Amino acid sequence: MRLYGVGIRFGGCHEQNGTIALFTRFSHMIYAMSNNDLLVKVENLYRYYDDHCAVQDLSFELRKGEILGFLGPNGAGKSTTMQMLSGNLAPSAGRILIGSVDLLDEPKRAKRATGYLPEQPPLYPDFTVNEYLDYCARLHRVPHSKVPAARALAKERCGLKEVGHRLIGNLSKGYQQRVGIAQAIIHSPAVVILDEPTIGLDPIQIREIRALITELGKEHGVILSTHILPEVQTICSRVQIIHKGRLVFNDTLTGLTQRMQSTSLVLACRLAPEVKFLHALPDVKSVETLDEHRLRITFTTHANLAEAVAAEAVKRGWGLLELTPERKSLEQIFVDLTAADEAVPEEQAA
Amino acid sequence: MMTFTIAGRELKHLFLSPLAWCVLAVIQFIVAWMFLIQVDNFLKFAPSLAGMANAPGVTDAVAAPLFSTASVILLMVVPIMSMRLISEERRSGTLSLLMSAPVSMTEIILGKYLGLLIFLLVMLGLITLMPLSLMVGTHLDYGKLFSGVLGLGLLLGAFAAAGLFMSTLTKQPVVAAISSFGLLLLLWVISWAGNGDDRFSPTFHYLSLLDHYGSLLRGTFNTADVIYYLLFIITFLVFSIRQLDAYRLQH
């Protein structure tokens, strides 16, 4: 159920449209009342580092059972956002609600409901895994009597059963990352915030961590940041793309997949294809010669025209070897999104 | 409540590293050396002292100089113990564990301070055992001894508070150590400036860590001295809390 296209608003750093802000807030209120599963609500968040605006006018929501992927190139403002959500960094302006508690007004109450794994896991190398997790549980106000149970559960979920008595400093990077995640979930928070959880891991570890996150997403709300597109595609239920501190895209995974659909094909043939015949096909925008045997054909629409091209190649007897629809890379999506964003006038975007 | 959890981790961290043991051993050895010299001197002069009216007792002759020496050694050691409190957590990124937990800045600072203070009190206890051992052979002036222990305890509390504040200012533990050593030394010698008839002279004397300690060592229990140390400690703890809070704002 989605009553309105979740409060994203485009606008310059210094711009505020009062009426729309009021309306958005009002609709937020109705929405919050009708939905008790709302875990995080972020409104018009700004963050400046001196004159540099790292995050501008960011608004989004997270519901129970959702895995929200924050996608963006390095330096887009992902980590800054995560730090603000976890209370490590104070926003320059805006509001963050965890459940119904304002993170800035009542940080202690709000932080009870969050678990945070920073980019660099906050580990004490001279502690054993057990000692460290006990300490984290106590810090998050897990009662004394429940600490062993909480520790055991976190260890089981993160696959740390065998390493409980080992020093954290002696563990491999992958295990350290898991200890970091265990630390974030030990008090079973409603919201788990993970900043690039799979960075620096080998492919097997990445798969395990992704499985764990999927598991977490069933009971908690998860926000994770990454710059790896496939990661988002495998685990996230909703995607937000952030670019230069602004939210440029906010949709379900299906929406992203549509965006990624290509408008071009690469055609490789044994004999050199004749460009003029290809131009004659409907909806062909341009044909670019890559080398003697390979061509890139760009279309004007999103429709997949591979069939028509294949038929043409067979009819002309070019000896069809390869026909590949090109998927857009993350970079291209960024370019598309930001280019589109700049083209749309502010009023319309809002 | 959380203060004790944090203090507990701090102590554990100290004793898991060789640093704490090394510091305890070195201090104990040097102070014991000084103690033996003092006892030896006292034995040499004891016969001549016996004839004097109002002669200094064993507590004045042994305990007071011992505490005085210990304070100078600890002036150099406490900055090394306090330098890592916040700066190392900032540098290794573990501070975010505390910042994202439901714990207030005050609890973090008090926990850190308490952890270090307990360690320093252990050290104080070990130093106090030396003059106390004279109990076996002679009579001690417990009032003076207590006053001296209180003085050294307050002094250590003040050193730790200043060191903690310096540790919140920088990511480099060594920079924190050097600057807190500098600050403490300056406050130690500040009274040297006020020797003349200068009208600022009382101010300098009041500010000096040394002057207030001196009167406690002589066995003069003056509330003003105790309040000076308590104010000193509270001031630096409040500064530290403010500084840690400001860390969220800037970076």
Side-chain angles (χ1 to χ4, degrees):
Chain A
M1 177 177 100
R2 189 152 286 137
L3 283 177
Y4 63 97
V6 185
I8 333 154
R9 306 194 354 266
F10 302 108
C13 259
H14 305 283
E15 232 165 314
Q16 277 283 5
N17 190 325
T19 327
I20 289 173
L22 199 68
F23 172 74
T24 319
R25 183 154 297 182
F26 185 60
S27 57
H28 268 283
M29 276 165 61
I30 298 172
Y31 200 75
M33 280 189 281
S34 66
N35 194 338
N36 291 327
D37 288 344
L38 200 64
L39 294 178
V40 177
K41 186 156 75 170
V42 172
E43 288 172 1
N44 315 112
L45 208 59
Y46 284 86
R47 173 71 206 194
Y48 292 91
Y49 293 110
D50 294 323
D51 287 338
H52 171 64
C53 191
V55 170
Q56 46 179 303
D57 204 13
L58 191 67
S59 303
F60 66 90
E61 291 178 352
L62 176 79
R63 275 173 211 80
K64 200 180 168 185
E66 258 185 339
I67 302 180
L68 173 62
F70 251 90
L71 199 59
N74 293 325
K78 295 178 309 236
S79 285
T80 304
T81 311
M82 303 279 136
Q83 284 176 334
M84 285 194 284
L85 287 177
S86 65
N88 274 265
L89 198 62
S92 306
R95 212 155 79 109
I96 302 169
L97 290 176
I98 309 286
S100 55
V101 187
D102 193 313
L103 180 67
L104 300 168
D105 292 344
E106 295 179 81
K108 270 168 87 170
R109 245 183 82 202
K111 283 175 186 175
R112 279 171 185 240
T114 59
Y116 172 52
L117 171 72
E119 231 172 323
Q120 193 187 0
L123 306 174
Y124 296 115
D126 51 358
F127 273 40
T128 66
V129 173
N130 284 346
E131 285 170 341
Y132 174 73
L133 290 179
D134 284 356
Y135 173 62
C136 295
R138 292 296 303 134
L139 267 189
H140 283 102
R141 297 176 190 271
V142 175
H144 259 303
S145 54
K146 288 182 185 157
V147 168
R151 186 225 298 154
L153 182 66
K155 268 164 66 184
E156 194 190 318
R157 296 179 89 170
C158 302
L160 292 167
K161 269 181 175 173
E162 283 82 37
V163 295
H165 293 288
R166 286 182 58 187
L167 283 181
I168 292 176
N170 294 343
L171 295 175
S172 67
K173 180 88 179 77
Y175 269 106
Q176 289 187 350
Q177 193 73 19
R178 290 191 212 190
V179 177
I181 297 177
Q183 161 274 126
I185 62 170
I186 192 153
H187 51 297
S188 23
V191 186
V192 183
I193 303 161
L194 307 170
D195 200 349
E196 310 217 347
T198 56
I199 202 159
L201 301 182
D202 69 39
I204 298 166
Q205 289 167 333
I206 289 177
R207 227 170 49 194
E208 285 169 355
I209 298 279
R210 283 179 187 168
L212 173 65
I213 294 169
T214 315
E215 188 66 29
L216 288 176
K218 287 175 189 159
E219 292 159 48
H220 311 256
V222 180
I223 302 179
L224 71 94
S225 80
T226 180
H227 59 264
I228 308 161
L229 191 56
E231 187 154 295
V232 168
Q233 290 174 308
T234 358
I235 49 182
C236 293
S237 53
R238 203 147 59 78
V239 186
Q240 297 192 325
I241 295 179
I242 187 165
H243 180 76
K244 288 183 181 161
R246 283 212 251 164
L247 206 53
V248 289
F249 180 80
N250 179 3
D251 205 343
T252 55
L253 197 60
T254 336
L256 179 72
T257 318
Q258 258 169 22
R259 278 271 188 169
M260 286 179 64
Q261 259 171 13
S262 65
T263 53
S264 62
L265 288 169
V266 171
L267 172 71
C269 296
R270 198 159 37 78
L271 306 170
E274 283 163 274
V275 175
K276 61 175 183 186
F277 293 117
L278 290 170
H279 270 299
L281 289 171
D283 295 329
V284 169
K285 197 165 125 197
S286 65
V287 179
E288 184 190 343
T289 312
L290 297 173
D291 58 40
E292 206 181 322
H293 300 284
R294 288 154 64 87
L295 292 170
R296 176 179 289 124
I297 309 161
T298 313
F299 304 102
T300 48
T301 60
H302 275 290
N304 194 341
L305 297 173
E307 194 184 345
V309 175
E312 189 68 19
V314 171
K315 197 168 94 189
R316 306 280 169 199
W318 291 333
L320 180 62
L321 292 176
E322 185 188 325
L323 191 58
T324 324
E326 279 190 316
R327 310 214 83 191
K328 279 191 200 171
S329 67
L330 185 58
E331 288 70 29
Q332 284 170 304
I333 295 179
F334 284 134
V335 172
D336 286 3
L337 286 170
T338 45
D341 180 36
E342 275 150 25
V344 179
E346 294 293 351
E347 308 85 55
Q348 265 183 300
Chain B
M1 194 56 222
M2 281 305 116
T3 305
F4 295 114
T5 309
I6 295 169
R9 192 213 77 87
E10 206 53 47
L11 270 179
K12 204 168 175 177
H13 178 70
L14 272 176
F15 282 108
L16 281 174
S17 72
L19 180 70
W21 298 105
C22 177
V23 164
L24 280 179
V26 169
I27 297 282
Q28 196 69 3
F29 183 80
I30 292 174
V31 175
W33 188 258
M34 303 308 287
F35 173 67
L36 291 176
I37 292 172
Q38 296 293 347
V39 172
D40 199 41
N41 281 343
F42 181 73
L43 288 178
K44 249 182 240 169
F45 295 109
S48 51
L49 285 175
M52 284 165 65
N54 215 353
V58 67
T59 320
D60 299 291
V62 176
L66 185 73
F67 284 142
S68 184
T69 317
S71 67
V72 177
I73 300 170
L74 291 172
L75 176 76
M76 291 179 260
V77 171
V78 175
I80 296 171
M81 302 307 297
S82 67
M83 68 180 186
R84 309 197 299 175
L85 286 172
I86 302 289
S87 61
E88 196 177 65
E89 296 234 23
R90 258 177 76 175
R91 196 148 88 143
S92 63
T94 47
L95 193 62
S96 66
L97 183 68
L98 293 169
M99 298 287 249
S100 44
V103 182
S104 68
M105 300 298 151
T106 314
E107 284 170 321
I108 296 175
I109 290 294
L110 286 181
K112 291 274 175 192
Y113 181 67
L114 195 65
L116 180 60
L117 197 62
I118 291 171
F119 172 78
L120 293 174
L121 289 180
V122 169
M123 197 188 276
L124 177 65
L126 287 172
I127 293 171
T128 314
L129 281 178
M130 292 179 213
L132 268 183
S133 68
L134 294 176
M135 260 169 68
V136 184
T138 181
H139 177 74
L140 289 173
D141 182 342
Y142 292 111
K144 274 190 180 170
L145 189 64
F146 172 75
S147 164
V149 172
L150 179 74
L152 188 55
L154 287 171
L155 195 67
L156 287 178
F159 287 175
L164 175 59
F165 173 62
M166 285 301 174
S167 185
T168 59
L169 290 181
T170 170
K171 273 187 185 179
Q172 311 288 337
V174 177
V175 175
I178 292 170
S179 37
S180 39
F181 175 69
L183 175 73
L184 292 176
L185 196 62
L186 178 70
L187 287 170
W188 196 255
V189 301
I190 199 167
S191 62
W192 296 2
N195 277 333
D197 296 324
D198 206 322
R199 61 199 168 91
F200 293 113
S201 168
T203 321
F204 285 133
H205 277 285
Y206 182 78
L207 283 176
S208 168
L209 281 162
L210 184 63
D211 279 28
H212 297 273
Y213 183 49
S215 64
L216 278 164
L217 278 188
R218 285 190 298 275
T220 324
F221 182 89
N222 190 345
T223 354
D225 297 328
V226 177
I227 289 174
Y228 166 82
Y229 284 115
L230 293 180
L231 278 179
F232 189 99
I233 292 167
I234 292 169
T235 307
F236 277 105
L237 288 184
V238 170
F239 282 175
S240 308
I241 294 166
R242 305 290 299 171
Q243 184 59 33
L244 194 61
D245 209 30
Y247 181 58
R248 284 186 315 132
L249 301 174
Q250 295 165 9
H251 270 274

